[in-house]
Amino acid sequence: MTSDRYAVFGQPIKHSKSPRIHQLFAEQTGQALSYSAQEVPPEQFQTAVTAFFAQGGKGLNCTVPLKGLAFAFADIKTERAQLSQAVNTLALQVDGSVLGDNTDGIGLVTDLTVNHALSLSGSRILILGAGGASRGIIGPILDQSPNSVVIANRTVDKADNLAQNFQARGNVYACGFDDLTEQSFDLILNATSASLSDELPPLPEGLLANNGVCYDLAYGNKPTAFVRWGFEHHASQSLDGLGMLVEQAAEAFFIWRGVRPQTQPVIDLLNLERQKGRD
């Protein structure tokens, strides 16, 4: 019996934990599948995806910088994909069409609300950055009924455009990093790519409310610059995006296989492994 083929496309991709995560899910749920990582630059995306499905592939994850291209490629798009204008999960349908979905936002919200027992209802939330990562998470965050969501970005226009897309769904505002003085937030989400180069957006003192939580969508073997900033500013929790990575993968796995894997054992294992890597 041949196993169904899945993969993650991105650039760069060599450090991806996705193959490991999906392998663990498959073992846990008794599903026969293979999952590989493939380096695909944007200009080769169309060819690579077409070939993957033509050769019998069943589903793909697409990561940076391919989510916009995956959105354009999908024949059918879910509401959350439409909202975020980005797709991280492609799934072959019975009729041969390809469904595009975005599991990033639900992955983040599940990690926050289930794994870390945070209630977002009534909270003041700040999102740093107005790129694709931010766009993918705003809808699911607004579904949790926060008091307000502020998007801060270097170029305010970009944040403003993003805020306007979601205005009908809740209180969403835009500002520049300079406008953050005198404001404070219960939850600060870093969706900038700054962490990858170990840098931080300029953040004023007093930005984090008492018992506030910091969350970096990026993750690494060592705490990111933003996670460290959170600890320095007495965050009650300062978290990185490893849990979100596992949760968005679980949602993709469910879309493909109709089976929901248990995420906590996988998160615990990956945390243990990176702990060992540090020692």
Side-chain angles (χ1 to χ4, degrees):
M1 183 183 142
T2 58
S3 59
D4 290 343
R5 281 177 51 235
Y6 298 87
V8 57
F9 285 3
Q11 188 186 41
I13 202 70
K14 63 177 182 291
H15 297 302
S16 173
K17 293 186 193 294
S18 293
R20 182 81 202 289
I21 292 168
H22 282 281
Q23 204 50 56
L24 291 165
F25 287 165
E27 286 164 16
Q28 184 200 100
T29 56
Q31 296 282 309
L33 59 88
S34 69
Y35 187 109
S36 59
Q38 201 175 320
E39 180 105 10
V40 176
E43 61 276 12
Q44 286 167 24
F45 179 75
Q46 194 79 19
T47 315
V49 180
T50 307
F52 178 82
F53 285 117
Q55 290 156 13
K58 298 287 191 209
L60 278 176
N61 286 136
C62 300
T63 180
V64 178
L66 306 173
K67 293 180 189 182
L69 294 168
F71 178 81
F73 183 87
D75 301 308
I76 328 149
K77 298 157 181 90
T78 62
E79 191 199 5
R80 54 193 181 186
Q82 293 280 9
L83 259 178
S84 56
Q85 295 284 298
V87 156
N88 75 339
T89 303
L90 292 170
L92 185 67
Q93 305 298 285
V94 180
D95 65 1
S97 63
V98 175
L99 173 79
D101 203 346
N102 190 323
T103 65
D104 286 332
I106 193 71
L108 169 69
V109 167
T110 304
D111 193 37
L112 287 168
T113 58
V114 179
N115 301 336
H116 299 289
L118 285 176
S119 168
L120 305 186
S121 172
S123 61
R124 296 160 300 166
I125 298 174
L126 170 64
I127 299 175
L128 303 170
S134 305
R135 185 185 273 275
I137 62 175
I138 296 169
I141 285 171
L142 289 172
D143 290 343
Q144 298 292 308
S145 312
N147 171 293
S148 58
V149 172
V150 173
I151 306 162
N153 197 52
R154 252 185 202 90
T155 46
V156 186
D157 283 358
K158 204 173 171 192
D160 208 36
N161 286 340
L162 197 49
Q164 282 176 18
N165 285 333
F166 290 93
Q167 222 91 62
R169 300 176 76 91
N171 298 323
V172 190
Y173 309 98
C175 70
F177 291 130
D178 305 346
D179 308 319
L180 288 172
T181 48
E182 312 297 314
Q183 297 193 62
S184 83
F185 299 90
D186 306 304
L187 171 63
I188 306 177
L189 299 161
N190 180 34
T192 70
S193 52
S195 265
L196 300 174
S197 50
D198 215 33
E199 289 163 18
L200 272 184
L203 303 174
E205 292 299 315
L207 194 60
L208 192 63
N210 279 345
N211 289 322
V213 172
C214 288
Y215 192 105
D216 198 330
L217 271 62
Y219 65 91
N221 284 334
K222 297 197 298 288
T224 66
F226 182 69
V227 169
R228 295 197 306 269
W229 182 91
F231 285 130
E232 285 156 17
H233 292 81
H234 314 296
S236 63
Q237 300 187 73
S238 195
L239 309 162
D240 74 5
L242 185 71
M244 172 181 173
L245 176 77
V246 176
E247 293 296 345
Q248 64 79 25
E251 189 72 16
F253 191 89
F254 176 68
I255 291 163
W256 293 330
R257 310 301 297 180
V259 181
R260 208 170 268 290
Q262 289 184 314
T263 51
Q264 201 58 56
V266 175
I267 293 170
D268 291 344
L269 181 64
L270 293 177
N271 269 322
L272 191 68
E273 284 173 357
R274 64 178 179 172
Q275 206 62 48
K276 280 185 181 148
R278 270 177 226 166
D279 297 343

